[in-house]
Structures are given as structure tokens and as C-alpha cells.
């Protein structure tokens, strides 16, 4: 593979944008109805999982024969559609899933611009007296993809960009609760990619996904690698499969606030992170441990910065509604009907009126409260008092359950930052900012919606979906 200059990449992007404009794809959003059928699928949308896998396999062969320019066009088209149609697609996702916040659904599509593409891939080379060795980042083939309901189209789009950039094609089993918008995205992406490149079915998807269709993808010989984004069950299933798997698993991010922190900045950041899309993000702040010296001051700062404080009795009522005791296990179990709902909806449940603009509820809790222990994805934050920093860190470690996903600290003490970073060993560690900064939303770095935690690839990039191939020429090719 040749490294492309920035000017070349800019020229390609400009060309693709022109092509898109010519085809009215950016200016006139397509209606939410099936487009004309291509072969047995409908612009990549299939009812039969085996057909979806076969079509992605055929597409992989064609993509492998196509110039690199075709990959760049495909990536650029997906980014362009996510940008220009963010409002319409975000609304479709919101209407279908009925969770989160519309403005964040839109923003999550807009930030697709910052997901890395083909330019990410760089060959490595060694030259010397005995010849030249070049190491290329080559594709795997068809990648089986599982997406969550919390960010159905953003995860699919982000995976499609990084995987196609690496020269792969995808077969997707979306979460049933977000399958319609995922299919609609696939139709739009494939239709526009076909117009520009004559390549079809680079992304295929199952329109009525089930655990069986996921199982078929996990087992198929035609699928060379898996990338799953979801909770504990699917993470386990992928780790137990016999394929190479990139697993973007669950988290339960704790936050520590110590006595040296800027409390207003801490409160502002925590509210921004925990209320983002009503706390649906796997990286979102889920429980806060505050040292006793500044506990009351921090609670006051949370109110000052716009979150709504519940009384202990209200915290108790909300905990009972959010975590009813399961008849089978006799343990508190997350009530999924509350996941991603507005703070005002939660308030209603406990007989309280707050405005629909209220971003987040919070209240005092002890470390045994079910909100602390469970990955709740609800816009309520339990604030736990710690004796000191060491105690706060202990409780953070306990509540994170060893997922090694995300943790956050608010402190001006660099030694404590280091101590917590080393102890938590999380994939993302954010200091003095909101959790989203860790994936490049309001923070430095590139964006991706699959953060591979147990398998260790971190915030995924095109390189995550490539295999190294070494090509050696013996003899002289030294030019120096
Ligand atoms: P979920 O686990 O309910 O579903 C995720 C996907 O897995 C869905 O497509 C579902 O149909 C599928 N699935 C579930 N069990 C399966 C099994 N046994 N075999 C095959 N497929 C199976 O999760 P969700 O509610 O959609 O999403 C929220 C979860 O995802 C949270 O735990 C969150 O932390 C995690 N998440 C992680 C990341 C990350 O990058 N690490 C990103 C987003 C979400």
C-alpha cells in the first residue's frame, strides 16, 4: 500500500463530495422506505443471514480488486451522509429506540467526521544490505458486527468507516430495538457507494436480527473476524467463539472527587458526561465518590451547575423503581424501562415535577445502593461520601468490577491522578473533564464508538481491523 499525501486525500474527499452533490444525496434526504431491491437484498438489507454473509463475501472480493481510491470514496460517503442527514437519521433513531436525547443522537452522527479512515494506515519498511522488507496492514475479509441499542447507527457507521478503510466488508446483526434505523443507514450508505464506485453490498445487515442470526454469524466460515459492542452476555459469547473477536464490552465508570478539585468544574463536567444521551454512553459517569472534606460543597456545586438534588426518601423511591428485586435471584435487577429516559420522566415516577430541560438527578447514597454497583444507564447519579482519597479509590475499584473500561478523577494533585490511573487500569482515564472527552467528543483524539476493553484494542481504528503481512525482496534495493 502506498502512503497518500494530505493533498491527495483532500482532492479525493472533494471529488466524492462533488459526486454526492451531483447525485443529490447530501441535499435531499432519502425517505424512510425500502429502496428498489438489488439482487436478493435491498441495498444490503437481507432477511436471510446466510445471504447477507454471502453478499458481504462477494463484496469483499470486489473491494479487494478495486483501487484504494474506492475505499476512500466509501469512507467519505458514509461521513458525508452522517453529517448532512444527521438530523433526520438522529430523529429516526430517537423515534425507534425511544431512549436518550435527540440533540445527542444528532451529535453522535455529526462526530463521524473524526473517525479515522484510510489515511490512518501506514506501511512499515526496513531496507538494508540484504534487501527490502515491507509490512502492510491487510484486511481480514468479512467482519461480523454486533451493535447496541444505545447507539445503533453511530456504532454501525463508525465500524463501517474503520472496517472499510482497512479493506474489509461487514455483515451486521443490529440490536432488534434499533434495527430499523440501522437498516435505513445501510441502505443509504450502500446506495450512494454504489453510485460512486459500482461496488455493492459493502455493508450487509439482517433486517430482523435474533440471537440465532447472531449465532450464525459467529459460526459462519465466511466471517473471518467479529467485532461486538454490547453488554456482558454478548461480550462473553464473542470471547467464547472460535474467531478472533474485538470486544467492546460493558463498563461502570466511577468518578473520584478529592479536596483539591475545582468543584464547579467537577460538577459541570460530571453533569455533562452523565446526562449525555441520558447516560447511555458506556463511558458515562455512573457513580461519584467524594472525599468527606468537600462532600457538602460538592453537592451544592452540583445544584449550582443545574442538576436536581433528590432527598434521601426520593433516592430510596427511585432506587426501588429502578432496581426491583428479581424473583429468580432475590437480587436488585435493573428495570430496562428506565434506561435512557429523561430526568423528568424519572422524577414523575416518584411524584416529583422537574422541567424537561433538567439534565440529571442526583442524591446522597451509600456504596451499597444498587445505582453504585450496576451499570444503570439512567440520568441519576449516586454521590457517595468517602473518608479520604484512599477510601474513594477503593470504592471506585470495587464498583468498576474489573471491566477496565473507563474511570474519571477531579483533582489538582498529580500524584493522586497517577495513583488512580495505575490502580484502575482502565482503557480510558479522564482527568478534570467530562467522560466524552475520552473518546474525542470535546477532548483531543480521534472518535470511535467501539472501545475494545477485555480484548485490549482500546478505541478502535482502521488498524484494529487489519492483519500484518510482510513482503520481503532479497537483494539490493537500497537507494542510499
Ligand atoms: P446488549 O448487551 O443488550 O445488546 C448488545 C448487542 O448484543 C445487541 O445487538 C444484542 O442483540 C446482542 N446480544 C445480546 N446477547 C447476545 C448473545 N448471547 N449472543 C449474540 N448477541 C447477543 O446491550 P445494549 O443495551 O444494546 O447496549 C448497552 C451495553 O453495551 C452496555 O453494557 C454498554 O456498556 C455496552 N457498550 C459498550 C461500548 C464499548 O465501546 N465498550 C459501546 C456501547 C455500548
Amino acid at each position: 500500500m502506498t502512503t497518500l499525501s494530505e493533498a491527495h486525500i483532500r482532492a479525493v474527499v472533494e471529488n466524492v463530495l462533488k459526486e454526492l452533490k451531483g447525485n443529490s444525496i447530501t441535499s435531499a434526504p432519502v425517505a424512510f422506505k425500502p429502496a428498489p431491491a438489488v439482487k436478493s437484498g435491498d441495498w444490503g438489507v437481507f432477511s436471510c443471514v446466510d445471504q447477507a454473509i454471502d453478499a458481504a463475501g462477494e463484496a469483499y472480493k470486489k473491494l479487494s480488486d478495486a483501487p484504494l481510491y474506492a475505499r476512500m470514496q466509501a469512507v467519505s460517503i458514509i461521513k458525508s451522509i452522517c453529517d448532512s442527514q444527521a438530523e433526520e437519521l438522529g430523529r429516526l433513531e430517537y423515534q425507534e429506540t425511544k431512549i436518550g436525547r435527540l440533540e445527542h443522537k444528532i451529535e453522535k452522527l455529526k462526530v463521524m467526521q473524526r473517525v479515522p479512515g484510510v489515511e490512518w494506515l501506514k506501511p512499515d519498511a526496513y531496507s538494508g544490505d540484504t534487501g527490502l522488507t515491507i509490512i502492510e496492514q491487510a484486511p481480514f475479509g468479512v467482519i461480523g458486527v454486533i451493535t447496541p441499542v444505545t447507539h445503533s447507527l453511530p456504532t454501525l457507521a463508525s465500524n463501517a468507516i474503520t472496517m472499510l478503510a482497512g479493506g474489509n466488508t461487514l455483515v451486521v446483526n443490529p440490536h432488534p430495538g434499533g434495527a430499523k434505523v440501522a437498516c435505513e443507514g445501510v441502505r443509504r450508505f450502500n446506495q450512494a457507494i454504489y453510485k460512486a464506485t459500482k461496488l455493492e453490498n459493502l455493508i450487509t445487515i439482517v433486517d430482523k436480527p435474533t440471537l440465532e442470526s447472531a449465532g450464525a454469524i459467529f459460526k459462519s466460515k465466511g466471517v473471518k473476524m467479529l467485532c461486538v459492542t454490547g453488554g456482558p452476555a454478548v461480550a462473553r459469547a464473542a470471547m467464547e467463539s472460535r474467531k478472533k473477536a474485538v470486544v467492546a464490552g460493558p463498563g461502570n465508570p466511577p468518578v473520584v472527587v478529592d479536596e483539591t478539585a475545582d468543584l464547579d468544574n467537577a460538577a459541570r463536567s460530571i453533569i455533562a458526561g452523565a446526562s449525555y444521551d441520558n447516560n447511555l454512553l458506556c463511558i458515562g459517569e455512573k457513580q461519584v465518590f467524594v472525599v468527606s472534606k468537600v462532600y457538602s460543597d460538592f453537592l451544592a456545586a452540583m445544584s449550582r451547575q443545574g442538576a436536581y438534588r433528590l432527598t434521601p426518601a426520593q433516592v430510596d423511591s427511585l432506587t426501588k423503581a429502578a432496581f426491583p428485586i428479581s424473583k429468580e435471584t432475590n437480587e436488585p435487577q435493573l428495570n430496562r424501562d428506565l434506561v435512557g429516559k429523561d430526568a423528568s420522566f424519572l422524577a414523575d415516577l416518584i411524584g416529583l415535577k422537574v422541567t424537561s430541560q433538567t439534565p440529571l438527578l442526583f442524591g446522597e447514597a451509600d456504596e451499597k445502593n444498587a445505582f453504585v454497583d450496576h451499570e444503570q444507564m439512567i440520568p441519576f447519579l449516586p454521590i457517595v461520601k468517602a473518608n479520604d482519597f484512599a477510601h474513594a479509590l477503593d470504592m471506585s475499584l470495587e464498583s468498576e468490577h474489573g471491566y477496565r473500561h473507563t474511570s474519571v478523577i477531579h483533582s489538582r494533585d498529580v500524584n493522586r491522578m497517577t495513583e488512580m490511573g495505575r490502580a484502575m487500569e482502565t482503557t480510558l482515564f479522564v482527568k478534570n473533564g467530562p467522560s466524552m472527552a475520552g473518546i474525542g467528543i470535546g477532548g483531543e483524539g480521534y472518535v470511535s464508538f467501539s472501545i475494545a476493553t477485555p480484548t485490549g484494542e482500546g478505541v478502535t481504528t482502521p488498524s484494529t481491523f487489519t492483519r500484518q503481512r510482510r513482503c520481503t525482496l532479497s537483494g539490493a534495493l537500497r537507494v542510499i
Side-chain angles (χ1 to χ4, degrees):
M1 183 186 301
T2 352
T3 311
L4 293 151
S5 71
E6 232 178 74
H8 189 167
I9 292 168
R10 196 170 304 118
V12 170
V13 172
E14 276 164 10
N15 264 347
V16 171
L17 288 175
K18 254 189 237 148
E19 280 163 21
L20 279 169
K21 276 205 184 105
N23 290 327
S24 310
I25 288 156
T26 47
S27 45
V30 191
F32 195 21
K33 63 177 184 337
V38 172
K39 287 190 179 162
S40 50
D42 162 20
W43 292 111
V45 181
F46 289 82
S47 300
C48 167
V49 62
D50 292 332
Q51 283 182 12
I53 296 170
D54 288 349
E58 279 300 307
Y60 172 64
K61 285 188 209 142
K62 301 238 169 77
L63 182 63
S64 303
D65 290 340
L68 281 178
Y69 178 68
R71 294 191 204 175
M72 296 172 88
Q73 284 178 299
V75 164
S76 183
I77 284 166
I78 296 170
K79 290 186 176 191
S80 170
I81 289 175
C82 286
D83 185 45
S84 61
Q85 300 177 27
E87 186 128 358
E88 188 196 355
L89 290 168
R91 196 174 293 280
L92 291 177
E93 177 142 357
Y94 182 64
Q95 285 165 351
E96 182 184 6
T97 61
K98 299 183 182 61
I99 54 175
R101 292 228 167 215
L102 178 59
E103 65 270 31
H104 298 137
K105 302 273 180 242
I106 295 169
E107 187 177 38
K108 288 193 291 183
L109 289 168
K110 290 259 176 202
V111 296
M112 246 8 102
Q113 305 307 311
R114 296 181 47 217
V115 176
V118 182
E119 74 290 348
W120 187 269
L121 301 173
K122 303 265 190 292
D124 204 358
Y126 296 83
S127 91
D129 292 335
T130 49
L132 171 74
T133 287
I134 182 154
I135 299 163
E136 294 275 25
Q137 292 181 275
F140 272 88
V142 177
I143 304 183
V145 170
I146 308 277
T147 52
V149 70
T150 46
H151 338 283
S152 183
L153 188 55
T155 308
L156 189 153
S158 154
N159 285 173
I161 290 168
T162 46
M163 291 171 187
L164 292 177
N168 308 281
T169 56
L170 307 64
V171 54
V172 184
N173 202 64
H175 190 291
K180 274 195 203 143
V181 69
C183 290
E184 183 59 20
V186 167
R187 275 187 204 104
R188 293 183 189 198
F189 298 155
N190 279 336
Q191 222 168 355
I193 292 170
Y194 180 76
K195 278 185 182 152
T197 66
K198 297 289 172 275
L199 292 168
E200 57 186 4
N201 293 329
L202 293 189
I203 313 162
T204 66
I205 188 165
V206 184
D207 62 355
K208 295 200 177 52
T210 57
L211 285 183
E212 286 69 38
S213 57
I217 290 173
F218 280 23
K219 287 196 200 98
S220 169
K221 284 204 176 105
V223 175
K224 300 296 180 213
M225 177 186 193
L226 302 174
C227 175
V228 310
T229 305
V234 71
R236 211 173 310 114
M239 306 269 283
E240 284 167 4
S241 82
R242 295 170 68 184
K243 290 194 193 327
K244 176 179 170 73
V246 171
V247 178
N252 193 34
V255 186
V256 166
V257 180
D258 80 3
E259 65 274 28
T260 70
D262 173 340
L263 295 183
D264 277 294
N265 179 60
R268 206 166 33 246
S269 303
I270 290 167
I271 294 168
S275 68
Y276 195 87
D277 217 12
N278 284 342
N279 210 351
L280 286 181
L281 293 183
C282 56
I283 59 171
E285 291 82 348
K286 299 288 189 290
Q287 62 278 349
V288 186
F289 302 101
V290 186
V291 299
S292 57
K293 267 190 199 158
V294 291
Y295 188 72
S296 308
D297 292 346
F298 176 74
L299 294 171
M302 287 289 284
S303 300
R304 242 182 349 260
Q305 296 300 331
Y308 189 94
R309 182 170 175 177
L310 300 187
T311 64
Q314 288 165 338
V315 171
D316 207 38
S317 303
L318 187 59
T319 308
K320 286 195 177 108
F323 294 97
I325 302 297
S326 150
K327 284 198 185 102
E328 281 109 58
T329 62
N330 208 25
E331 297 282 335
Q333 193 175 23
L334 177 63
N335 175 359
R336 300 257 342 168
D337 293 345
L338 269 54
V339 166
K341 295 298 185 203
D342 288 354
S344 57
F345 176 93
L346 304 178
D348 265 352
L349 277 183
I350 54 170
L352 178 72
K353 286 276 165 251
V354 302
T355 73
S356 61
Q357 298 311 311
T358 306
L360 184 75
L361 308 178
F362 72 101
E364 295 182 51
D366 67 29
E367 80 267 30
K368 295 204 175 58
N369 183 291
F371 272 103
V372 174
D373 202 34
H374 292 71
E375 188 193 22
Q376 26 117 341
M377 297 179 282
I378 292 173
F380 166 79
L381 265 193
I383 316 289
V384 182
K385 191 193 281 186
N387 302 333
D388 52 21
F389 173 71
H391 185 209
L393 184 50
D394 276 354
M395 290 191 285
S396 292
L397 267 169
E398 183 79 21
S399 71
E400 215 267 332
H401 304 301
Y403 290 136
R404 299 199 289 183
H405 194 300
T406 298
S407 55
V408 180
I409 187 170
H410 289 273
S411 172
R412 288 189 177 105
D413 184 329
V414 174
N415 291 333
R416 283 182 178 170
M417 291 177 186
T418 306
E419 190 180 339
M420 180 163 174
R422 291 178 64 85
M424 297 299 302
E425 294 187 279
T426 45
T427 308
L428 302 180
F429 181 47
V430 179
K431 294 164 237 170
N432 297 332
S435 54
M436 302 90 72
I439 53 159
I441 303 179
E444 292 303 320
Y446 53 88
V447 170
S448 164
F449 277 83
S450 292
I451 303 148
T453 39
T455 48
E457 294 81 0
V459 182
T460 50
T461 69
S463 299
T464 311
F465 305 107
T466 61
R467 37 195 288 269
Q468 289 204 358
R469 290 178 54 195
R470 183 191 265 223
C471 191
T472 301
L473 174 71
S474 286
L477 206 94
R478 254 187 75 187
V479 291
I480 48 162

